[in-house]
Amino acid sequence: MKSKFMLWLLTCVLCAGLLAGCGNNNNENNSGTGGTAGENAKVDIYQFKVEIAKELENAAALYMKNHPNVKINIQTVGGGDDYGASLRAKMQSGEEPTIFNIGGPQDTQDWMQKLEDLSDQPWVSQAVDTVLDSVTADGKIYGLPYAIEGYGFIYNTEIFKAADIDPSTIHNYDTLLAAVRTLDEKIKSGALKSQFPQLEAVFEFPGKETWVSMHTVNVPLSQEFTSATDAFEKKTVSFQNADAFKALIDIQADYSSNANSKGKLNAVDYATQVGQGIAIERVAMIQQGNWIYGDIENVDAETAAKMSLLPMPLVGEEALKMPVGVPMYWCVNKDSNDADKKAAKEFLTWLYTSEEGKEMIVNKFYFIPPLKGYTQEPSDPLSRAVKTYADDNKTRPWVFMGFPTSWGMDSVGVQVQRYLSGEATFTEAVEKAKADWEAARASE
């Protein structure tokens, strides 16, 4: 995916009739997008984003209230689970969902036989520049973007302030490392104990979550590949910035609560890092993205308001750039029956283009919209930080969407685990990942 995003929030583009009645008149168009009045439909959604599971259920409940002929069932599989593997199992079980998720060009190729052509949907013309590139093949569009997201090092601004660290002075890896060392010294000396009694380490690194390591490796590989499509087309990976990748792993492991026993990081999961980590001020920084804001807020709204986001700097690189992209796409199963497919398309259109849906997308899901026509500004500090970097064109592409199937998690993530546990040197881990890439491409 190209890293340049144009204007994010343009003048509101209203779609007439999206909420055109939910009444008892049989002639009324209940959906506002073609209608399913009098036509019973069942939409089974199989989705990956655990952070919005409750909010998506609420959105579906509101939609069903106004569209009583539509039944929406939602199953969320994500977090520590491999969504891609679970989706394959789901499809093979014979209980195929109506709506499911894919990532980028690799997933588009892998799932092409199941993808409904969505080129005629009303939201297509409203898409922010480049967000549809990864799900476009032969001129056809096969997915609706979830959101625009960015990730890096999320940090507690009040802890930084108490440690006399000015985040504006962090402009490369060396200045980040200096700030981390200062913070580490003050935590260990007890200087911050009275203000933050649970604070025990700078970082928490969830080695168990191999997708986090996949996000980490995206930073150095975004200099090797220009886009997800570019990565998808490459038969080999050189890892020319392997040292910079190692530095990003090391800074998180060396300044974690398990610095003296790094193998224990492989048991640290998302919940430990977020809900039991930064959300309770046990650690000051974590590698995550704006998608975690709701999870922090659910633990402590006051702590959530203290959060901000820094890009992950590469050794030797002066410009701070944030990885910005689309996490996943909503797709419709072309093998579902016509009534269910129609209802699925109408629900997605309602969710992203109706005024009710827009309000939920921004203020309940905490998404940066992937479509134009939103008047709602991002309401949380993490999304605002991502938007700032995107508006200033200080971004990196999400090239991991073009990695070979499961390579980011099952190869890179596993090799990082081996490095942390001492089973492999970093060089050995990288060489194995390189070989895995080549083997995966050769088998396609």
Side-chain angles (χ1 to χ4, degrees), residues 184-201:
D184 182 63
E185 187 279 326
K186 292 191 175 184
I187 293 172
K188 289 177 177 175
S189 72
L192 305 177
K193 190 72 173 178
S194 61
Q195 192 170 348
F196 304 99
Q198 297 191 77
L199 185 60
E200 65 179 22

Side-chain angles (χ1 to χ4, degrees), residues 91 96-100 111-118 140 142 331-338 341 345:
M91 289 292 191
E96 297 188 5
T98 323
I99 294 174
F100 60 97
W111 290 103
M112 180 56 71
Q113 64 179 354
K114 290 292 182 182
L115 301 180
E116 177 83 354
D117 180 5
L118 302 178
K140 297 179 180 179
Y142 293 100
C331 300
V332 175
N333 189 339
K334 75 176 184 181
D335 291 338
S336 296
N337 68 54
D338 289 345
K341 287 194 293 187
K345 294 173 187 178

Side-chain angles (χ1 to χ4, degrees), residues 304-325:
K306 301 175 186 178
M307 296 297 113
S308 193
L309 181 59
L310 279 170
M312 302 166 67
L314 284 175
V315 171
E317 186 180 64
E318 288 301 316
L320 284 181
K321 297 180 180 180
M322 184 172 292
V324 175

